[in-house]
Amino acid sequence: MNWGYPLLGTLVLLFPGLCAWLGLRSGSRIDYLSPLPDRPNSTSTLFVILAGALLAHVVGAGLFAVQELYCRRAPCLRLPVDPNVYKAMLRHDQVFAGTSTAIALALLFFTLLGLLSAASFQRVARSVPLSAVMRPELHGWVRMIAAGTANPDRLVIASVLTRTGHNGRFAGYEGIVHQFTLDEDEVVAMIVLAEADRFLIEIGDTAASRHHVEDRSMSLVQLQQAEIANVAFDVIDLRALRQPA
């Protein structure tokens, strides 16, 4: 690989966009639900990176424009070169490129611009008005579960039927939803249950029956997609249970 100026310039310019994508992923992660994984060769991921980089550079160029307007009206610190990195890149300014201090300040500027981009996109991802765009995994069938986990007066219970079985009997677990992850098709890829009880499902020719296993509850149980045959969720209203009959 030839590490020339074009490659280095491309990486530096895309750095704020990559930070924006990282901030978006970080902001999409909540206590109980991990964000949907990006599809391979996803155009939406590429769009986020490019749009994040473009917005960050618009802000960066705007800061230099404000600085230039201010220095026309008030005294400013005079530097040996123009600090506007965008001018230097567009003009191929050899004086700027030959100054070690200017190069260090330019790299520091792009680093700070990337951190600002990551923090901004993380905040946007966690905002309620934009959750429909930034967190699509919270919509559809997951919306009821999201509302239940966010409400302290509700409890989300999951019953998981596994593929582990013998002679028509299959193991299952039931407990409080602690965390779960969806794949790109919104299928449960991993689930963690708290205070989980074990049970057996016996599948006959005409019906299925459930048998309780006499054992203590397990603090945490993690099940992967390869082990999961089916999952059923139930949102329990605790206020209704507290009310006297």
Side-chain angles (χ1 to χ4, degrees), residues 76-129:
C76 293
L77 178 65
R78 297 298 176 183
L79 299 175
V81 294
D82 188 345
N84 193 329
V85 295
Y86 298 105
K87 282 185 179 179
M89 296 180 69
L90 293 175
R91 294 176 177 176
H92 300 283
D93 192 343
Q94 298 299 320
V95 176
F96 186 95
T99 308
S100 299
T101 303
I103 295 175
L105 291 176
L107 294 177
L108 177 61
F109 168 77
F110 284 118
T111 300
L112 295 177
L113 194 63
L115 295 177
L116 176 63
S117 179
S120 300
F121 271 72
Q122 184 184 61
R123 188 176 183 87
V124 167
R126 291 177 177 173
S127 63
V128 176

Side-chain angles (χ1 to χ4, degrees), residues 139-244:
H139 296 267
W141 68 270
V142 190
R143 183 181 303 175
M144 183 179 296
I145 301 174
T149 54
N151 191 338
D153 292 322
R154 292 184 178 180
L155 194 65
V156 180
I157 303 293
S159 298
V160 182
L161 179 63
T162 71
R163 302 180 189 276
T164 304
H166 181 66
N167 291 334
R169 286 193 171 190
F170 296 89
Y173 299 88
E174 184 176 70
I176 302 171
V177 175
H178 181 72
Q179 184 181 5
F180 68 100
T181 305
L182 304 176
D183 63 11
E184 61 272 13
D185 296 320
E186 294 192 359
V187 176
V188 177
M190 184 276 295
I191 188 168
V192 178
L193 302 179
E195 302 299 325
D197 295 325
R198 285 172 281 192
F199 60 89
L200 291 175
I201 292 291
E202 184 175 2
I203 302 177
D205 295 334
T206 58
S209 58
R210 172 170 169 166
H211 303 277
H212 179 68
V213 176
E214 294 294 340
D215 201 353
R216 66 181 183 85
S217 299
M218 291 175 288
S219 300
L220 287 175
V221 174
Q222 184 189 61
L223 299 167
Q224 301 292 336
Q225 188 173 28
E227 309 168 59
I228 299 173
N230 206 346
V231 183
F233 294 93
D234 187 16
V235 181
I236 300 175
D237 191 345
L238 299 178
R239 289 178 300 179
L241 295 179
R242 297 192 193 104
Q243 294 178 354

